[in-house]
Amino acid sequence: MSKVFKCESCGADLDFQDSGEIVQCPYCGTRQTLYSDSYSDEISDEQRRKIDSLLKRVFILLEDGEFKKADKYCERVLDVDPENALAYLGKLMAEKRVNSREDLADCEESLWLSNNYYRSVIYAESDLKSELESYEAKINARLENKKNERDYNYALSIMKTADNEDALRTIANMFMRIKDYKNSYSLAQECINRADEMKRESEKFAEEDRIAREKIEIQSQEQAKTQAMNETINKFIIFLLCAGICALVYFTSK
């Protein structure tokens, strides 16, 4: 008769026929040996009392900072009840080296990075699940705040030395991504205003430069025309002088 066992990695149901059979999880690929006495559909009252006693010992050890011992006691619980959320919670606390459940909210990284957190959540009843998710939410809020502070300080530092329109608009986008943090929104508007002012000044300068170039071009054209006219007049004067000289010589020779 086929029996059901849980994958030790992802918690998926595994079917096996014979004790000692090596089974590969179809979901995560983990291979493990299953024994017919490893799992039972029902946990006896005696086993339940043992589990409760072991869990009390787990959390006492955690309070005392005996993290390795606490983890071992959790494993003893899981040998009897592989879906015990409190045992995975104990392992999570031992992994994070915290003395109380509330201290999990002070962890430096997301609890979802831990497989023990994942298992404690999926096997937990609603109250414990909500509690654990609240710790994760506090961690994420703190991490988000740290990221916002880092981005804010970086944008603020380069804002002080920004001297062109493109740089200011880039900094404004940085502040807009964290617009609800501190005075990021007003700083973004300040950068945009400065960028717009630089754009107007640049356009004004470009227009003034265009007008100046046009004036220079007109002056150059007028000078060229004047020079050409002067050259024509000079040639005509020379022609008249030559003609006069020739006429004088002609009449003098007679």
Side-chain angles (χ1 to χ4, degrees), residues 19-254:
S19 180
E21 179 183 359
I22 298 176
V23 176
Q24 182 172 0
C25 177
Y27 300 98
C28 68
T30 300
R31 295 172 62 85
Q32 61 191 92
T33 303
L34 307 181
Y35 297 95
S36 58
D37 59 349
S38 301
Y39 178 86
S40 62
D41 294 332
E42 298 291 339
I43 298 176
S44 67
D45 291 341
E46 181 180 353
Q47 288 176 317
R48 178 58 60 193
R49 287 192 294 271
K50 181 179 179 181
I51 288 173
D52 291 342
S53 177
L54 289 171
L55 288 173
K56 287 180 182 179
R57 182 63 173 145
V58 165
F59 290 101
I60 291 173
L61 288 169
L62 289 170
E63 288 179 4
D64 294 339
E66 298 285 346
F67 301 115
K68 289 185 178 180
K69 286 185 179 180
D71 186 79
K72 289 180 179 179
Y73 273 84
C74 289
E75 288 295 337
R76 290 174 61 181
V77 172
L78 293 173
D79 285 341
V80 180
D81 182 7
E83 296 182 359
N84 191 291
L86 289 175
Y88 285 113
L89 173 58
K91 287 179 67 65
L92 175 65
M93 292 171 61
E95 175 189 344
K96 299 299 182 181
R97 303 183 72 80
V98 297
N99 303 105
S100 69
R101 287 152 64 153
E102 293 78 9
D103 291 340
L104 288 171
D106 297 326
C107 290
E108 294 296 324
E109 60 182 13
S110 171
L111 297 176
W112 275 112
L113 298 175
S114 170
N115 194 44
N116 289 320
Y117 176 79
Y118 164 74
R119 292 187 181 284
S120 61
V121 168
I122 63 172
Y123 294 136
E125 295 183 358
S126 59
D127 289 345
L128 178 58
K129 181 178 180 181
S130 297
E131 179 185 346
L132 294 173
E133 289 176 342
S134 71
Y135 299 151
E136 175 68 6
K138 289 180 181 178
I139 293 172
N140 288 335
R142 188 171 63 254
L143 292 175
E144 181 69 16
N145 192 65
K146 283 185 177 181
K147 179 181 180 301
N148 289 342
E149 178 69 13
R150 183 173 61 251
D151 293 346
Y152 175 87
N153 289 333
Y154 175 70
L156 191 62
S157 66
I158 62 177
M159 175 185 174
K160 296 176 181 178
T161 57
D163 58 357
N164 62 78
E165 179 189 350
D166 290 340
L168 284 167
R169 295 198 188 279
T170 299
I171 297 167
N173 289 333
M174 292 181 185
F175 281 122
M176 286 303 293
R177 285 197 290 268
I178 54 173
K179 62 181 181 179
D180 296 327
Y181 185 75
K182 291 186 176 180
N183 61 335
S184 293
Y185 184 80
S186 63
L187 290 175
Q189 295 303 312
E190 180 181 339
C191 289
I192 291 172
N193 292 338
R194 285 174 57 188
D196 289 343
E197 182 180 352
M198 284 186 175
K199 182 179 180 180
R200 288 191 295 269
E201 290 178 354
S202 178
E203 290 174 345
K204 180 181 178 181
F205 175 79
E207 180 64 16
E208 291 175 349
D209 183 64
R210 183 188 66 79
I211 293 173
R213 288 177 181 274
E214 286 182 352
K215 287 182 178 179
I216 292 172
E217 182 65 23
I218 292 172
Q219 290 175 354
S220 297
Q221 292 175 358
E222 289 177 349
Q223 288 176 356
K225 288 180 181 180
T226 301
Q227 183 177 354
M229 184 176 293
N230 290 337
E231 289 177 354
T232 301
I233 292 172
N234 290 335
K235 288 179 181 179
F236 183 70
I237 292 172
I238 292 171
F239 172 76
L240 291 177
L241 288 173
C242 290
I245 293 171
C246 290
L248 179 63
V249 171
Y250 175 75
F251 287 113
T252 302
S253 63
K254 285 188 176 185

